[in-house]
Amino acid sequence: MRESGSESGVMTKISVPSNGKIIIDHANEGTIIEIGKMKHVFHEGKRNIIAKLDKNGNLVF
């Protein structure tokens, strides 16, 4: 995905199953990613995100 959320901080949720991966070039503030049951909220913009669950079920970037 190239960009998620908006500069105004509108909440945007992206979710995939626990064996999935989320790739975002630019996540704006207010983006919520959910992989399986693990969730992360971006409180500020971040670039070049590759998020997945590790072998212990923790969300890693």
Tab-separated table of all heavy atoms in Angstrom:
chain	number	residue	atom	x	y	z
A	1	MET	N	0.854	-1.159	0.000
A	1	MET	CA	0.000	0.000	0.000
A	1	MET	C	0.910	1.235	0.000
A	1	MET	O	1.887	1.269	0.738
A	1	MET	CB	-0.884	-0.050	1.247
A	1	MET	CG	-1.693	1.156	1.490
A	1	MET	SD	-2.772	0.994	2.935
A	1	MET	CE	-3.826	-0.314	2.419
A	2	ARG	N	0.573	2.181	-0.773
A	2	ARG	CA	1.413	3.377	-0.845
A	2	ARG	C	1.236	4.282	0.368
A	2	ARG	O	2.202	4.756	0.945
A	2	ARG	CB	1.092	4.150	-2.111
A	2	ARG	CG	1.576	3.412	-3.351
A	2	ARG	CD	1.514	4.261	-4.536
A	2	ARG	NE	2.372	5.418	-4.287
A	2	ARG	CZ	2.809	6.213	-5.209
A	2	ARG	NH1	2.465	6.016	-6.442
A	2	ARG	NH2	3.564	7.240	-4.926
A	3	GLU	N	-0.023	4.562	0.734
A	3	GLU	CA	-0.265	5.490	1.836
A	3	GLU	C	-1.526	5.083	2.581
A	3	GLU	O	-2.491	4.621	1.964
A	3	GLU	CB	-0.406	6.911	1.293
A	3	GLU	CG	-0.516	7.956	2.361
A	3	GLU	CD	-0.436	9.373	1.814
A	3	GLU	OE1	-0.488	9.563	0.588
A	3	GLU	OE2	-0.340	10.290	2.628
A	4	SER	N	-1.512	5.263	3.903
A	4	SER	CA	-2.697	4.966	4.709
A	4	SER	C	-3.009	6.156	5.591
A	4	SER	O	-2.132	6.937	5.941
A	4	SER	CB	-2.469	3.725	5.571
A	4	SER	OG	-1.427	3.963	6.487
A	5	GLY	N	-4.266	6.284	5.949
A	5	GLY	CA	-4.688	7.392	6.791
A	5	GLY	C	-4.687	8.700	6.027
A	5	GLY	O	-4.655	8.725	4.809
A	6	SER	N	-4.700	9.798	6.786
A	6	SER	CA	-4.667	11.122	6.173
A	6	SER	C	-3.897	12.065	7.083
A	6	SER	O	-3.697	11.785	8.267
A	6	SER	CB	-6.087	11.650	5.952
A	6	SER	OG	-6.693	11.948	7.189
A	7	GLU	N	-3.465	13.158	6.528
A	7	GLU	CA	-2.708	14.136	7.315
A	7	GLU	C	-3.527	14.718	8.453
A	7	GLU	O	-2.978	15.203	9.433
A	7	GLU	CB	-2.176	15.233	6.406
A	7	GLU	CG	-1.100	14.728	5.468
A	7	GLU	CD	-0.548	15.815	4.573
A	7	GLU	OE1	-0.772	16.999	4.851
A	7	GLU	OE2	0.118	15.463	3.588
A	8	SER	N	-4.847	14.666	8.345
A	8	SER	CA	-5.697	15.216	9.403
A	8	SER	C	-5.892	14.232	10.555
A	8	SER	O	-6.544	14.549	11.537
A	8	SER	CB	-7.052	15.627	8.826
A	8	SER	OG	-7.729	14.499	8.317
A	9	GLY	N	-5.346	13.011	10.455
A	9	GLY	CA	-5.410	12.055	11.552
A	9	GLY	C	-6.665	11.212	11.609
A	9	GLY	O	-6.951	10.588	12.625
A	10	VAL	N	-7.425	11.161	10.516
A	10	VAL	CA	-8.628	10.326	10.477
A	10	VAL	C	-8.209	8.867	10.658
A	10	VAL	O	-7.265	8.399	10.036
A	10	VAL	CB	-9.367	10.498	9.126
A	10	VAL	CG1	-10.506	9.515	9.000
A	10	VAL	CG2	-9.859	11.923	8.991
A	11	MET	N	-8.903	8.137	11.555
A	11	MET	CA	-8.572	6.742	11.829
A	11	MET	C	-8.826	5.875	10.600
A	11	MET	O	-9.885	5.943	9.985
A	11	MET	CB	-9.401	6.211	12.990
A	11	MET	CG	-9.076	6.876	14.294
A	11	MET	SD	-7.421	6.478	14.792
A	11	MET	CE	-7.656	6.296	16.522
A	12	THR	N	-7.832	5.056	10.251
A	12	THR	CA	-7.924	4.107	9.148
A	12	THR	C	-7.411	2.772	9.655
A	12	THR	O	-6.306	2.707	10.188
A	12	THR	CB	-7.052	4.571	7.956
A	12	THR	OG1	-7.470	5.863	7.547
A	12	THR	CG2	-7.151	3.602	6.797
A	13	LYS	N	-8.204	1.724	9.508
A	13	LYS	CA	-7.815	0.410	10.023
A	13	LYS	C	-7.507	-0.532	8.864
A	13	LYS	O	-8.285	-0.658	7.926
A	13	LYS	CB	-8.939	-0.177	10.878
A	13	LYS	CG	-8.583	-1.499	11.500
A	13	LYS	CD	-9.710	-1.970	12.403
A	13	LYS	CE	-9.386	-3.289	13.044
A	13	LYS	NZ	-10.471	-3.751	13.895
A	14	ILE	N	-6.356	-1.200	8.976
A	14	ILE	CA	-5.936	-2.197	7.998
A	14	ILE	C	-5.738	-3.494	8.774
A	14	ILE	O	-4.993	-3.513	9.752
A	14	ILE	CB	-4.624	-1.780	7.319
A	14	ILE	CG1	-4.790	-0.415	6.657
A	14	ILE	CG2	-4.163	-2.837	6.327
A	14	ILE	CD1	-3.505	0.288	6.369
A	15	SER	N	-6.390	-4.568	8.352
A	15	SER	CA	-6.245	-5.825	9.084
A	15	SER	C	-6.041	-6.993	8.126
A	15	SER	O	-6.570	-6.997	7.015
A	15	SER	CB	-7.436	-6.065	10.002
A	15	SER	OG	-8.634	-6.062	9.283
A	16	VAL	N	-5.237	-7.948	8.583
A	16	VAL	CA	-4.955	-9.173	7.844
A	16	VAL	C	-4.960	-10.332	8.841
A	16	VAL	O	-4.837	-10.114	10.046
A	16	VAL	CB	-3.597	-9.104	7.093
A	16	VAL	CG1	-3.600	-8.018	6.038
A	16	VAL	CG2	-2.443	-8.921	8.047
A	17	PRO	N	-5.053	-11.570	8.353
A	17	PRO	CA	-4.982	-12.724	9.257
A	17	PRO	C	-3.606	-12.829	9.920
A	17	PRO	O	-2.640	-12.187	9.488
A	17	PRO	CB	-5.231	-13.930	8.345
A	17	PRO	CG	-5.619	-13.403	7.021
A	17	PRO	CD	-5.287	-11.958	6.969
A	18	SER	N	-3.494	-13.661	10.931
A	18	SER	CA	-2.256	-13.770	11.708
A	18	SER	C	-1.053	-14.231	10.889
A	18	SER	O	0.082	-13.954	11.255
A	18	SER	CB	-2.451	-14.705	12.905
A	18	SER	OG	-2.824	-15.985	12.456
A	19	ASN	N	-1.265	-14.889	9.780
A	19	ASN	CA	-0.143	-15.299	8.940
A	19	ASN	C	0.161	-14.280	7.842
A	19	ASN	O	0.996	-14.521	6.976
A	19	ASN	CB	-0.403	-16.672	8.316
A	19	ASN	CG	-1.594	-16.677	7.385
A	19	ASN	OD1	-2.403	-15.749	7.376
A	19	ASN	ND2	-1.731	-17.730	6.614
A	20	GLY	N	-0.513	-13.123	7.882
A	20	GLY	CA	-0.343	-12.088	6.867
A	20	GLY	C	0.739	-11.085	7.193
A	20	GLY	O	1.403	-11.156	8.233
A	21	LYS	N	0.903	-10.139	6.289
A	21	LYS	CA	1.916	-9.096	6.408
A	21	LYS	C	1.301	-7.799	5.892
A	21	LYS	O	0.507	-7.834	4.950
A	21	LYS	CB	3.102	-9.509	5.537
A	21	LYS	CG	4.237	-8.562	5.521
A	21	LYS	CD	5.334	-8.896	4.518
A	21	LYS	CE	5.720	-10.326	4.369
A	21	LYS	NZ	6.918	-10.503	3.516
A	22	ILE	N	1.654	-6.674	6.500
A	22	ILE	CA	1.175	-5.369	6.052
A	22	ILE	C	2.387	-4.556	5.622
A	22	ILE	O	3.332	-4.386	6.398
A	22	ILE	CB	0.386	-4.643	7.156
A	22	ILE	CG1	-0.878	-5.430	7.506
A	22	ILE	CG2	0.040	-3.219	6.720
A	22	ILE	CD1	-1.666	-4.874	8.674
A	23	ILE	N	2.340	-4.066	4.383
A	23	ILE	CA	3.425	-3.239	3.845
A	23	ILE	C	2.826	-1.884	3.474
A	23	ILE	O	1.881	-1.811	2.688
A	23	ILE	CB	4.066	-3.894	2.610
A	23	ILE	CG1	4.620	-5.265	2.979
A	23	ILE	CG2	5.151	-2.997	2.026
A	23	ILE	CD1	5.088	-6.090	1.802
A	24	ILE	N	3.383	-0.812	4.058
A	24	ILE	CA	2.892	0.540	3.799
A	24	ILE	C	4.088	1.443	3.537
A	24	ILE	O	5.031	1.484	4.343
A	24	ILE	CB	2.094	1.098	4.998
A	24	ILE	CG1	0.992	0.135	5.422
A	24	ILE	CG2	1.515	2.472	4.656
A	24	ILE	CD1	0.315	0.513	6.732
A	25	ASP	N	4.054	2.185	2.441
A	25	ASP	CA	5.121	3.152	2.163
A	25	ASP	C	5.072	4.323	3.132
A	25	ASP	O	6.101	4.771	3.614
A	25	ASP	CB	5.026	3.674	0.733
A	25	ASP	CG	5.374	2.623	-0.306
A	25	ASP	OD1	6.051	1.635	0.043
A	25	ASP	OD2	4.960	2.789	-1.469
A	26	HIS	N	3.853	4.827	3.403
A	26	HIS	CA	3.700	5.957	4.329
A	26	HIS	C	2.412	5.817	5.126
A	26	HIS	O	1.318	5.909	4.570
A	26	HIS	CB	3.696	7.280	3.558
A	26	HIS	CG	3.615	8.467	4.451
A	26	HIS	ND1	2.989	9.630	4.078
A	26	HIS	CD2	4.069	8.693	5.704
A	26	HIS	CE1	3.066	10.511	5.067
A	26	HIS	NE2	3.717	9.949	6.061
A	27	ALA	N	2.546	5.575	6.433
A	27	ALA	CA	1.384	5.501	7.332
A	27	ALA	C	1.256	6.838	8.041
A	27	ALA	O	2.170	7.272	8.742
A	27	ALA	CB	1.577	4.388	8.354
A	28	ASN	N	0.152	7.502	7.834
A	28	ASN	CA	-0.109	8.766	8.517
A	28	ASN	C	-0.617	8.511	9.930
A	28	ASN	O	-1.047	7.398	10.266
A	28	ASN	CB	-1.153	9.574	7.740
A	28	ASN	CG	-0.584	10.203	6.491
A	28	ASN	OD1	0.322	11.021	6.565
A	28	ASN	ND2	-1.096	9.803	5.350
A	29	GLU	N	-0.575	9.548	10.749
A	29	GLU	CA	-1.132	9.495	12.096
A	29	GLU	C	-2.570	8.989	12.025
A	29	GLU	O	-3.326	9.362	11.129
A	29	GLU	CB	-1.107	10.902	12.699
A	29	GLU	CG	-1.771	11.021	14.025
A	29	GLU	CD	-1.824	12.457	14.522
A	29	GLU	OE1	-1.282	13.347	13.870
A	29	GLU	OE2	-2.430	12.664	15.574
A	30	GLY	N	-2.945	8.113	12.953
A	30	GLY	CA	-4.306	7.595	12.997
A	30	GLY	C	-4.478	6.269	12.277
A	30	GLY	O	-5.547	5.686	12.305
A	31	THR	N	-3.412	5.770	11.644
A	31	THR	CA	-3.483	4.465	10.994
A	31	THR	C	-3.423	3.372	12.057
A	31	THR	O	-2.590	3.421	12.957
A	31	THR	CB	-2.319	4.282	10.003
A	31	THR	OG1	-2.425	5.268	8.970
A	31	THR	CG2	-2.335	2.896	9.385
A	32	ILE	N	-4.323	2.415	11.960
A	32	ILE	CA	-4.341	1.264	12.861
A	32	ILE	C	-4.051	0.036	12.009
A	32	ILE	O	-4.725	-0.189	11.002
A	32	ILE	CB	-5.718	1.098	13.528
A	32	ILE	CG1	-6.109	2.353	14.279
A	32	ILE	CG2	-5.734	-0.141	14.431
A	32	ILE	CD1	-7.579	2.394	14.674
A	33	ILE	N	-3.039	-0.739	12.416
A	33	ILE	CA	-2.798	-2.003	11.734
A	33	ILE	C	-3.118	-3.135	12.701
A	33	ILE	O	-2.873	-3.033	13.899
A	33	ILE	CB	-1.365	-2.127	11.179
A	33	ILE	CG1	-0.318	-2.029	12.275
A	33	ILE	CG2	-1.119	-1.112	10.085
A	33	ILE	CD1	1.089	-2.353	11.805
A	34	GLU	N	-3.704	-4.188	12.159
A	34	GLU	CA	-4.074	-5.341	12.975
A	34	GLU	C	-3.685	-6.607	12.207
A	34	GLU	O	-4.113	-6.815	11.081
A	34	GLU	CB	-5.575	-5.322	13.248
A	34	GLU	CG	-6.040	-6.416	14.156
A	34	GLU	CD	-7.518	-6.275	14.479
A	34	GLU	OE1	-8.324	-6.195	13.523
A	34	GLU	OE2	-7.854	-6.250	15.662
A	35	ILE	N	-2.830	-7.405	12.841
A	35	ILE	CA	-2.431	-8.687	12.274
A	35	ILE	C	-2.874	-9.741	13.268
A	35	ILE	O	-2.402	-9.768	14.402
A	35	ILE	CB	-0.916	-8.743	12.015
A	35	ILE	CG1	-0.509	-7.599	11.079
A	35	ILE	CG2	-0.531	-10.097	11.438
A	35	ILE	CD1	0.966	-7.504	10.810
A	36	GLY	N	-3.813	-10.578	12.838
A	36	GLY	CA	-4.436	-11.506	13.790
A	36	GLY	C	-5.122	-10.691	14.876
A	36	GLY	O	-5.929	-9.822	14.587
A	37	LYS	N	-4.746	-10.931	16.125
A	37	LYS	CA	-5.337	-10.188	17.251
A	37	LYS	C	-4.422	-9.087	17.778
A	37	LYS	O	-4.768	-8.382	18.714
A	37	LYS	CB	-5.682	-11.155	18.381
A	37	LYS	CG	-6.758	-12.123	17.953
A	37	LYS	CD	-7.223	-12.978	19.090
A	37	LYS	CE	-8.252	-13.953	18.568
A	37	LYS	NZ	-9.400	-14.074	19.366
A	38	MET	N	-3.250	-8.935	17.166
A	38	MET	CA	-2.302	-7.895	17.598
A	38	MET	C	-2.572	-6.613	16.824
A	38	MET	O	-2.829	-6.639	15.623
A	38	MET	CB	-0.854	-8.358	17.367
A	38	MET	CG	-0.495	-9.596	18.159
A	38	MET	SD	-0.658	-9.397	19.946
A	38	MET	CE	0.645	-8.250	20.268
A	39	LYS	N	-2.506	-5.493	17.549
A	39	LYS	CA	-2.887	-4.214	16.977
A	39	LYS	C	-1.848	-3.155	17.323
A	39	LYS	O	-1.229	-3.201	18.382
A	39	LYS	CB	-4.236	-3.822	17.572
A	39	LYS	CG	-4.917	-2.676	16.906
A	39	LYS	CD	-6.193	-2.251	17.598
A	39	LYS	CE	-7.172	-3.374	17.805
A	39	LYS	NZ	-8.433	-2.922	18.380
A	40	HIS	N	-1.664	-2.191	16.405
A	40	HIS	CA	-0.779	-1.049	16.658
A	40	HIS	C	-1.428	0.195	16.066
A	40	HIS	O	-1.953	0.159	14.951
A	40	HIS	CB	0.596	-1.264	16.017
A	40	HIS	CG	1.510	-0.103	16.185
A	40	HIS	ND1	2.174	0.146	17.367
A	40	HIS	CD2	1.854	0.900	15.337
A	40	HIS	CE1	2.898	1.236	17.222
A	40	HIS	NE2	2.711	1.721	16.004
A	41	VAL	N	-1.370	1.311	16.799
A	41	VAL	CA	-1.882	2.595	16.331
A	41	VAL	C	-0.693	3.525	16.122
A	41	VAL	O	0.139	3.689	17.011
A	41	VAL	CB	-2.860	3.225	17.359
A	41	VAL	CG1	-3.349	4.572	16.863
A	41	VAL	CG2	-4.019	2.294	17.646
A	42	PHE	N	-0.619	4.136	14.950
A	42	PHE	CA	0.426	5.117	14.670
A	42	PHE	C	-0.033	6.484	15.165
A	42	PHE	O	-1.042	7.002	14.709
A	42	PHE	CB	0.742	5.160	13.174
A	42	PHE	CG	1.423	3.920	12.686
A	42	PHE	CD1	0.680	2.873	12.152
A	42	PHE	CD2	2.794	3.777	12.776
A	42	PHE	CE1	1.293	1.716	11.709
A	42	PHE	CE2	3.423	2.628	12.342
A	42	PHE	CZ	2.671	1.590	11.806
A	43	HIS	N	0.709	7.036	16.112
A	43	HIS	CA	0.375	8.346	16.671
A	43	HIS	C	1.119	9.461	15.950
A	43	HIS	O	0.898	10.637	16.219
A	43	HIS	CB	0.685	8.376	18.168
A	43	HIS	CG	-0.158	7.401	18.932
A	43	HIS	ND1	-1.498	7.593	19.160
A	43	HIS	CD2	0.143	6.197	19.477
A	43	HIS	CE1	-1.982	6.573	19.844
A	43	HIS	NE2	-1.012	5.701	20.041
A	44	GLU	N	1.991	9.083	15.045
A	44	GLU	CA	2.671	10.033	14.160
A	44	GLU	C	2.981	9.288	12.875
A	44	GLU	O	2.968	8.059	12.832
A	44	GLU	CB	3.948	10.573	14.799
A	44	GLU	CG	4.955	9.524	15.158
A	44	GLU	CD	6.159	10.107	15.880
A	44	GLU	OE1	6.018	11.109	16.586
A	44	GLU	OE2	7.246	9.545	15.705
A	45	GLY	N	3.255	10.022	11.816
A	45	GLY	CA	3.537	9.398	10.533
A	45	GLY	C	4.808	8.564	10.578
A	45	GLY	O	5.741	8.856	11.329
A	46	LYS	N	4.814	7.497	9.782
A	46	LYS	CA	5.992	6.639	9.688
A	46	LYS	C	6.077	6.097	8.271
A	46	LYS	O	5.064	5.862	7.633
A	46	LYS	CB	5.891	5.492	10.690
A	46	LYS	CG	7.146	4.677	10.779
A	46	LYS	CD	7.139	3.733	11.959
A	46	LYS	CE	8.446	2.946	11.928
A	46	LYS	NZ	8.563	2.047	13.041
A	47	ARG	N	7.299	5.895	7.795
A	47	ARG	CA	7.520	5.442	6.421
A	47	ARG	C	8.142	4.050	6.377
A	47	ARG	O	8.775	3.613	7.318
A	47	ARG	CB	8.430	6.419	5.685
A	47	ARG	CG	7.800	7.772	5.497
A	47	ARG	CD	8.647	8.634	4.572
A	47	ARG	NE	7.994	9.888	4.313
A	47	ARG	CZ	7.103	10.081	3.348
A	47	ARG	NH1	6.763	9.102	2.548
A	47	ARG	NH2	6.543	11.256	3.170
A	48	ASN	N	7.966	3.394	5.227
A	48	ASN	CA	8.589	2.107	4.915
A	48	ASN	C	8.316	1.044	5.984
A	48	ASN	O	9.234	0.511	6.594
A	48	ASN	CB	10.092	2.289	4.698
A	48	ASN	CG	10.379	3.263	3.583
A	48	ASN	OD1	9.722	3.242	2.560
A	48	ASN	ND2	11.339	4.139	3.787
A	49	ILE	N	7.064	0.729	6.164
A	49	ILE	CA	6.639	-0.225	7.188
A	49	ILE	C	6.419	-1.599	6.562
A	49	ILE	O	5.754	-1.731	5.533
A	49	ILE	CB	5.335	0.252	7.844
A	49	ILE	CG1	5.584	1.562	8.544
A	49	ILE	CG2	4.775	-0.798	8.787
A	49	ILE	CD1	4.388	2.414	8.636
A	50	ILE	N	7.007	-2.593	7.177
A	50	ILE	CA	6.704	-3.993	6.877
A	50	ILE	C	6.397	-4.624	8.235
A	50	ILE	O	7.291	-4.767	9.068
A	50	ILE	CB	7.874	-4.715	6.196
A	50	ILE	CG1	8.223	-4.020	4.877
A	50	ILE	CG2	7.515	-6.184	5.960
A	50	ILE	CD1	9.454	-4.571	4.194
A	51	ALA	N	5.145	-4.935	8.467
A	51	ALA	CA	4.719	-5.456	9.769
A	51	ALA	C	4.217	-6.884	9.624
A	51	ALA	O	3.519	-7.219	8.663
A	51	ALA	CB	3.617	-4.572	10.349
A	52	LYS	N	4.576	-7.722	10.584
A	52	LYS	CA	4.122	-9.112	10.623
A	52	LYS	C	4.246	-9.610	12.053
A	52	LYS	O	4.767	-8.901	12.919
A	52	LYS	CB	4.955	-9.978	9.684
A	52	LYS	CG	6.415	-10.016	10.046
A	52	LYS	CD	7.198	-10.841	9.050
A	52	LYS	CE	8.663	-10.882	9.455
A	52	LYS	NZ	9.445	-11.720	8.559
A	53	LEU	N	3.768	-10.809	12.311
A	53	LEU	CA	3.922	-11.416	13.620
A	53	LEU	C	5.174	-12.283	13.606
A	53	LEU	O	5.432	-13.001	12.639
A	53	LEU	CB	2.713	-12.273	13.979
A	53	LEU	CG	1.383	-11.539	14.119
A	53	LEU	CD1	0.290	-12.529	14.516
A	53	LEU	CD2	1.467	-10.410	15.118
A	54	ASP	N	5.953	-12.227	14.692
A	54	ASP	CA	7.110	-13.111	14.799
A	54	ASP	C	6.656	-14.481	15.289
A	54	ASP	O	5.460	-14.715	15.495
A	54	ASP	CB	8.205	-12.503	15.685
A	54	ASP	CG	7.817	-12.364	17.152
A	54	ASP	OD1	6.775	-12.919	17.579
A	54	ASP	OD2	8.564	-11.699	17.889
A	55	LYS	N	7.586	-15.404	15.492
A	55	LYS	CA	7.228	-16.774	15.869
A	55	LYS	C	6.566	-16.869	17.236
A	55	LYS	O	5.897	-17.843	17.551
A	55	LYS	CB	8.455	-17.680	15.832
A	55	LYS	CG	9.523	-17.309	16.816
A	55	LYS	CD	10.711	-18.230	16.689
A	55	LYS	CE	11.786	-17.807	17.683
A	55	LYS	NZ	12.944	-18.677	17.586
A	56	ASN	N	6.710	-15.796	18.071
A	56	ASN	CA	6.072	-15.765	19.388
A	56	ASN	C	4.719	-15.043	19.360
A	56	ASN	O	4.093	-14.857	20.391
A	56	ASN	CB	6.985	-15.084	20.400
A	56	ASN	CG	8.281	-15.854	20.592
A	56	ASN	OD1	8.267	-17.067	20.696
A	56	ASN	ND2	9.391	-15.140	20.602
A	57	GLY	N	4.307	-14.578	18.180
A	57	GLY	CA	3.022	-13.894	18.050
A	57	GLY	C	3.084	-12.408	18.358
A	57	GLY	O	2.040	-11.768	18.500
A	58	ASN	N	4.296	-11.838	18.441
A	58	ASN	CA	4.460	-10.396	18.687
A	58	ASN	C	4.512	-9.655	17.371
A	58	ASN	O	5.087	-10.132	16.392
A	58	ASN	CB	5.750	-10.130	19.476
A	58	ASN	CG	5.730	-10.763	20.833
A	58	ASN	OD1	4.773	-10.622	21.581
A	58	ASN	ND2	6.767	-11.507	21.151
A	59	LEU	N	3.939	-8.464	17.358
A	59	LEU	CA	3.944	-7.621	16.169
A	59	LEU	C	5.323	-6.994	16.017
A	59	LEU	O	5.835	-6.377	16.958
A	59	LEU	CB	2.875	-6.543	16.322
A	59	LEU	CG	2.570	-5.658	15.137
A	59	LEU	CD1	2.125	-6.488	13.933
A	59	LEU	CD2	1.468	-4.678	15.493
A	60	VAL	N	5.951	-7.192	14.863
A	60	VAL	CA	7.276	-6.633	14.608
A	60	VAL	C	7.250	-5.818	13.322
A	60	VAL	O	6.484	-6.102	12.405
A	60	VAL	CB	8.370	-7.726	14.531
A	60	VAL	CG1	8.552	-8.390	15.865
A	60	VAL	CG2	8.057	-8.755	13.473
A	61	PHE	N	8.124	-4.805	13.277
A	61	PHE	CA	8.253	-3.932	12.101
A	61	PHE	C	9.614	-4.124	11.478
A	61	PHE	O	10.599	-4.256	12.145
A	61	PHE	CB	8.098	-2.464	12.499
A	61	PHE	CG	6.755	-2.126	13.059
A	61	PHE	CD1	6.498	-2.245	14.406
A	61	PHE	CD2	5.748	-1.688	12.220
A	61	PHE	CE1	5.259	-1.933	14.930
A	61	PHE	CE2	4.504	-1.372	12.735
A	61	PHE	CZ	4.260	-1.490	14.092
